[in-house]
Amino acid sequence: MATPNDTHHHIYAERNEDPRKRQRTVPMEVLSLGYSRTGTMTLKAALEILGYPTWHWVTMAENPPDLSMWAEALEAKFQPDSALKPFGRAEFDNLLGHWAACTDQPAAIFAEELVNAYPDAKVVLVDREVEKWYTSFSSTVIAGSASPFIPLAARVSPGFLGQMARQTDLICKYYFHVPQPRERWPLVNNKEHFDTWRANARATYLAHNEMVRRVTPPERLLSFNLADGWEPLCNFLGKPVPAVSFPRVNETEVVQQKIQLYIAESFKRSAISFARVMLPVLVALVASVWWAYFQ
């Protein structure tokens, strides 16, 4: 069974590449547009076995500036009074230029834009039974976001977890129609916010799947059940069936552990940064005391 460290090993990497300077290096061939918690990590693993480098939500952790650009994409899409221009092919090439496939949010929220931007790409929709999806989504994404340590971690790591929280808040407000904002102060009760998110989740999920079917030409769309394994996916993509078992990633375990790793990494890096700033100050203080009393 895959673990967080061997499934996505570049957690919170030390990179700060400007995504707006990124160019497309491989053609976009597969758009997996099922929403989060429909087996997106499993599908990422399967597509990569088939030879498609695949973008996933966790990929943003390899280059934190991508988080900010995706948040800008959400603002441009959902805020009519925003000065930002809605994203098109050029901007999606910036964000997804190194990958031949993409899966998970926030990319899936831009299903219509991506279907139009990449007319030669095939579209896969994993339509998980709604109650199974809700149980998984509520216990991982919502429960993880509800951690009282998230606002504190966002404050000590504004460039990483701060941007991740910004992105999550935009998705809550505009995609899940959660009107009350999350209180960003540490250890404040946000129960009403997260209760509304849970109450709206099922309808949002069903509307998302309906939207993907509506905007995708039928000949480009595969409605896929992960339990069916390689054959329908390979037939749709024109690939031979691999001589390995279809991957099964325990997505719930991976997501829960990744959230913990992100928080821990943010606190660790903040502590290191604080120590780097304070060490010269302490050295100077000790030196001044020594000079004052012993010279």
Side-chain angles (χ1 to χ4, degrees):
M1 179 179 66
T3 67
N5 292 321
D6 59 28
T7 307
H8 306 288
H9 55 282
H10 298 298
I11 293 176
Y12 202 170
E14 288 278 11
R15 286 174 48 210
N16 282 289
E17 173 187 290
D18 182 357
R20 293 188 182 276
K21 296 180 180 178
R22 191 183 294 136
Q23 302 296 317
R24 179 153 294 284
T25 56
V26 294
M28 178 61 76
E29 298 183 69
V30 184
L31 302 170
S32 170
L33 298 178
Y35 202 71
S36 293
R37 316 307 301 136
T38 58
T40 55
M41 286 186 180
T42 290
L43 197 54
K44 171 181 167 67
L47 290 171
E48 290 184 339
I49 290 171
L50 295 177
Y52 302 103
T54 302
W55 183 97
H56 185 283
W57 175 82
V58 297
T59 308
M60 292 183 291
E62 300 174 19
N63 190 55
D66 282 16
L67 289 161
S68 179
M69 189 170 177
W70 277 109
E72 290 177 13
L74 291 163
E75 290 174 347
K77 178 180 176 72
F78 292 113
Q79 294 180 355
D81 58 346
S82 171
L84 297 168
K85 183 184 74 171
F87 279 27
R89 171 65 182 263
E91 291 79 14
F92 289 120
D93 277 351
N94 291 155
L95 287 165
L96 302 169
H98 296 341
W99 295 274
C102 66
T103 187
D104 206 67
Q105 72 172 31
I109 292 173
F110 297 89
E112 184 169 11
E113 293 87 343
L114 292 173
V115 167
N116 293 332
Y118 301 107
D120 296 326
K122 295 186 176 182
V123 177
V124 177
L125 175 64
V126 177
D127 186 357
R128 190 177 186 185
E129 194 275 325
V130 64
E131 287 304 320
K132 290 182 180 179
W133 171 85
Y134 173 78
T135 298
S136 177
F137 187 78
S138 180
S139 65
T140 55
V141 176
I142 299 180
S145 299
S147 167
F149 294 103
I150 290 287
L152 179 59
R155 287 182 177 275
V156 300
S157 179
F160 179 66
L161 277 175
Q163 287 299 316
M164 192 171 289
R166 172 192 174 198
Q167 189 183 111
T168 300
D169 289 348
L170 287 167
I171 292 171
C172 277
K173 180 177 180 180
Y174 292 110
Y175 211 62
F176 286 86
H177 309 291
V178 180
Q180 62 269 49
R182 170 169 53 175
E183 174 57 58
R184 301 298 292 274
W185 288 97
L187 306 179
V188 171
N189 189 337
N190 286 286
K191 184 176 184 300
E192 184 180 0
H193 173 88
F194 292 104
D195 284 350
T196 305
W197 192 1
R198 289 186 175 91
N200 294 351
R202 295 178 181 85
T204 300
Y205 172 70
L206 294 172
H208 174 85
N209 290 344
E210 180 183 347
M211 178 269 292
V212 173
R213 293 190 181 94
R214 184 178 68 251
V215 303
T216 307
E219 67 276 9
R220 291 175 59 190
L221 178 64
L222 171 68
S223 291
F224 182 50
N225 188 326
L226 294 175
D228 292 337
W230 285 120
E231 189 168 347
L233 182 63
C234 291
N235 288 342
F236 179 65
L237 299 176
K239 295 280 189 177
V241 174
V244 295
S245 299
F246 193 82
R248 306 289 178 188
V249 179
N250 187 332
E251 199 161 338
T252 296
E253 179 184 351
V254 170
V255 170
Q256 289 173 334
Q257 292 188 32
K258 276 192 172 296
I259 290 170
Q260 295 170 5
L261 287 170
Y262 290 151
I263 294 173
E265 185 70 15
S266 292
F267 280 117
K268 183 180 79 173
R269 294 191 179 202
S270 296
I272 291 172
S273 297
F274 180 78
R276 286 173 178 167
V277 171
M278 291 305 298
L279 183 60
V281 175
L282 291 173
V283 170
L285 180 61
V286 170
S288 64
V289 170
W290 181 87
W291 183 265
Y293 286 94
F294 299 101
Q295 293 297 313

